[in-house]
Amino acid sequence: MNERIAQFRSRLTQFWGQMGRKQKIWLGASISGLLLTIILLTIVFTRTEYEIAFQNLDTTDAAAIMTYLDGSGIPYELSNNGKSISVPSTEAARIKVDVGSQGLVQNGSIGFEAFNSSSSQFGTTENEFNVKYLNALNGEIQQLLNAMQGVDSSKVLVNLPEESVFLSPEDAEQASASIMMRFMSGYRPSQKEIDGYYNLVKTAVPNLAMKDITISSPQGELTFSETDGGIANNSDAVESQFLIQRKYETELKKNIQQFLGPIVGVDNLVIQVSSSMNFDKKTSQESLVKPLDNNNNNGIIISEEINNSTSTGSSGEAGGVAGTGETDVPGYETATTGESSSETSSQIRNYDVSRISSNIVSGPFVLKDLSISIGIEESEIQDEASKTAIMTYLTALVRAQLADSGQDVTNDELMAKKVALIASTFSGSSSDNQSSVLSTPWLIGIGVAALAIIGGLIVILTRRRKKAAEEEIELAAPAKVEYPTLDLESVNNDSQARKNLETLAKRKPDEFVNLLRTWLVDE
């Protein structure tokens, strides 16, 4: 075995000795690169990648999670001053589930589960139970608040008065709650959310009045709205109305800019829109009674009664025979008889008119007033006709927007009060435009010059590299060897010549070898 090792070592030494200097350098560099690549690949594939599994932890929660990870033999890393814990990426999901199932993350609070884990076999005293109950109540409220949107952390302190049979409910001390809340960076709770915090605490603590709750934050105290539908709803309504009005003005401004922008240039146009809107919601009822237009305005016949009657008979007139007797009336006409007839006709019609009953609910967001002010670069308005055309467009736009407002304004009033066109030189605009116009040819020239310079540098570098390569080739080519000469003709005998050759071989072996090569070439 030792002989094989010795043989292998001798062969390796012989192989190394036969190699040139450059070959030794390339071999050493190749072996070093291969070893470095193997080491890097080993580090990359065996390195444990960590993922943040828990962040914004309380010191108590961080200690509990670290204890669990140490007991399970799971590596971890701490960051953010111990508030964040990173675990291997391949096991992050399982670790989150395990930690969550064990209830290790409590955000620094302990809820009612404390009664399940720390019960004593001998029982607890009343004072100990009250303290545990109060701490558990604080912890439960804290967990509920921390689960709300935008809440970073909270601290709850509830004060429960001692019950006494000697005090009436009016005279007894009332419960109170003091809460400190911290919100995430940039988050601002709305009034509805603040009211939700108050209602959550009120319903969680028995016999707690809303006035005895104090919720504060580093930015100030959070106040509860006084009445239902009061401050909260009004603030939301005001905010929504402001957003609607702002959106309307933005859209109108955008439309004007899209129309005038291509004409005068977007950078040469400034638009200001001011509007007033009516957000009242109105409900009205209408009951209209009107005849029919296609029935001679008589309405619809709903009932009709027509009566016709005819009668015939004989009749006699009073009279007698004119006589001269004592009982006779002198000159009295004698009675006559004849036939008579009569006809009666009656007609009764009942008409009904059309009745229209409508409930009209007028929606809010009615535009009451509108004014538009536009500033245009003076150089963009060449003549009075252009200004008149722009004013005509703006006047028609304002008139169309105010169509349902109930205002009846003339063109003169619109131009005088509702529309304003200002033609002026913008601050710094002319100099900027002139500089930009003048700088365009210069920018082109600078660009061409830069390209020429870059091309020249590329050519110079290429030539230098070519020249360096030629020099390397010349240096690599074997130089002309000047072989030493030895004047043997001046030597008298062979012993002296041999002695000179031996001296040359000892002192200058390279020259001696070159001398031998010269002799061999000559022969």
Side-chain angles (χ1 to χ4, degrees):
M1 186 67 180
N2 294 331
E3 293 178 357
R4 291 183 179 178
I5 295 175
Q7 291 178 0
F8 179 75
R9 184 180 300 171
S10 62
R11 291 178 181 176
L12 184 61
T13 305
Q14 184 180 0
F15 176 74
W16 181 261
Q18 292 177 354
M19 297 178 64
R21 183 170 177 272
K22 289 187 177 180
Q23 293 178 342
K24 292 179 180 180
I25 293 173
W26 280 107
L27 180 61
S30 301
I31 295 174
S32 301
L34 181 61
L35 292 176
L36 182 61
T37 303
I38 294 173
I39 293 172
L40 291 177
L41 290 176
T42 303
I43 293 174
V44 169
F45 287 104
T46 58
R47 182 181 60 183
T48 302
E49 294 185 359
Y50 287 89
E51 176 185 343
I52 296 179
F54 308 98
Q55 54 186 351
N56 297 329
L57 293 172
D58 190 82
T59 55
T60 305
D61 297 339
I65 295 175
M66 290 170 58
T67 303
Y68 165 74
L69 296 176
D70 291 334
S72 302
I74 300 174
Y76 60 89
E77 291 181 352
L78 294 177
S79 60
N80 193 17
N81 296 327
K83 294 183 179 181
S84 300
I85 298 178
S86 302
V87 296
S89 302
T90 55
E91 301 180 3
R94 181 181 62 83
I95 294 173
K96 289 180 181 179
V97 174
D98 293 342
V99 171
S101 62
Q102 297 181 20
L104 299 179
V105 180
Q106 300 290 340
N107 292 325
S109 61
I110 300 176
F112 287 117
E113 64 271 7
F115 291 96
N116 299 329
S117 59
S118 60
S119 58
S120 174
Q121 60 181 351
F122 298 105
T124 58
T125 62
E126 183 178 359
N127 291 333
E128 183 180 359
F129 176 82
N130 291 335
V131 172
K132 285 186 176 182
Y133 175 78
L134 190 58
N135 291 335
L137 182 61
N138 293 336
E140 288 290 337
I141 298 175
Q142 182 177 346
Q143 293 178 16
L144 292 174
L145 292 175
N146 291 341
M148 303 293 284
Q149 180 181 2
V151 178
D152 186 17
S153 62
S154 62
K155 189 68 176 178
V156 180
L157 180 61
V158 176
N159 180 25
L160 295 178
E162 295 183 0
E163 297 182 358
S164 176
V165 297
F166 301 103
L167 295 176
S168 61
E170 293 79 9
D171 298 333
E173 185 180 357
Q174 300 296 323
S176 62
S178 300
I179 301 171
M180 181 66 182
M181 301 182 65
R182 293 183 179 272
F183 299 95
M184 296 180 181
S185 178
Y187 184 81
R188 182 181 179 183
S190 62
Q191 187 61 45
K192 280 187 176 181
E193 292 175 330
I194 295 174
D195 293 347
Y197 304 151
Y198 276 90
N199 290 323
L200 187 147
V201 178
K202 179 181 181 299
T203 55
V205 180
N207 300 325
L208 179 62
M210 199 69 73
K211 61 183 181 63
D212 296 325
I213 302 174
T214 302
I215 301 179
S216 302
S217 68
Q219 290 75 25
E221 184 177 355
L222 307 178
T223 58
F224 177 74
S225 60
E226 297 296 334
T227 57
D228 273 345
I231 298 177
N233 290 344
N234 288 338
S235 61
D236 291 341
V238 170
E239 185 176 359
S240 63
Q241 292 173 7
F242 174 75
L243 293 177
I244 292 171
Q245 184 174 357
R246 184 177 179 182
K247 184 178 180 181
Y248 169 76
E249 294 177 354
T250 303
E251 289 295 328
L252 187 59
K253 180 179 178 181
K254 182 179 178 182
N255 294 335
I256 298 174
Q257 191 170 12
Q258 288 178 351
F259 180 78
L260 296 179
I263 299 175
V264 300
V266 178
D267 297 334
N268 302 320
L269 183 65
V270 178
I271 303 172
Q272 178 64 37
V273 177
S274 300
S275 63
S276 176
M277 304 186 75
N278 184 6
F279 294 95
D280 296 335
K281 186 176 182 181
K282 185 185 297 183
T283 303
S284 59
Q285 290 184 349
E286 285 186 352
S287 297
L288 300 178
V289 178
K290 55 184 297 186
L292 296 179
D293 296 335
N294 57 355
N295 196 19
N296 197 20
N297 291 331
N298 290 326
I300 303 173
I301 299 175
I302 58 175
S303 64
E304 183 177 11
E305 181 181 355
I306 300 175
N307 295 320
N308 295 319
S309 62
T310 303
S311 62
T312 59
S314 60
S315 61
E317 295 181 358
V321 177
T324 57
E326 293 180 358
T327 57
D328 295 332
V329 177
Y332 188 78
E333 297 182 358
T334 59
T336 60
T337 60
E339 294 182 357
S340 64
S341 65
S342 65
E343 183 178 352
T344 304
S345 176
S346 67
Q347 185 177 4
I348 299 175
R349 288 189 180 93
N350 294 322
Y351 294 91
D352 194 5
V353 294
S354 59
R355 293 180 176 85
I356 301 174
S357 298
S358 58
N359 294 327
I360 301 174
V361 179
S362 60
F365 323 133
V366 177
L367 185 65
K368 294 172 55 180
D369 201 357
L370 177 66
S371 64
I372 299 176
S373 301
I374 294 182
I376 300 179
E377 177 66 31
E378 188 175 6
S379 60
E380 298 298 329
I381 302 180
Q382 302 297 335
D383 50 9
E384 191 67 24
S386 300
K387 184 176 180 180
T388 304
I390 295 175
M391 288 294 294
T392 302
Y393 162 73
L394 296 177
T395 303
L397 178 63
V398 173
R399 183 184 295 278
Q401 296 295 321
L402 295 176
D404 296 332
S405 64
Q407 297 187 36
D408 187 11
V409 290
T410 61
N411 290 335
D412 295 338
E413 292 178 350
L414 286 176
M415 292 183 181
K417 299 180 180 179
K418 308 297 182 182
V419 178
L421 178 60
I422 303 173
S424 177
T425 302
F426 289 180
S427 176
S429 62
S430 60
S431 59
D432 292 342
N433 293 334
Q434 292 176 1
S435 63
S436 62
V437 171
L438 294 176
S439 63
T440 301
W442 287 99
L443 290 175
I444 296 174
I446 292 172
V448 173
L451 292 176
I453 293 173
I454 293 173
L457 291 176
I458 292 174
V459 172
I460 293 172
L461 291 176
T462 304
R463 290 181 178 178
R464 286 185 178 179
R465 289 182 180 179
K466 186 176 181 181
K467 186 176 181 180
E470 293 177 354
E471 292 178 353
E472 289 181 358
I473 294 174
E474 292 178 357
L475 293 175
K480 186 177 181 181
V481 181
E482 295 181 0
Y483 298 105
T485 58
L486 185 61
D487 190 6
L488 298 178
E489 295 179 356
S490 62
V491 180
N492 297 327
N493 51 17
D494 296 338
S495 60
Q496 184 65 30
R498 182 180 296 175
K499 186 177 181 181
N500 291 338
L501 291 174
E502 290 178 355
T503 303
L504 181 62
K506 290 180 180 179
R507 293 181 179 178
K508 298 180 179 180
D510 295 336
E511 294 182 2
F512 179 73
V513 172
N514 293 333
L515 181 61
L516 292 178
R517 291 178 179 175
T518 304
W519 288 348
L520 293 175
V521 170
D522 293 340
E523 292 180 356

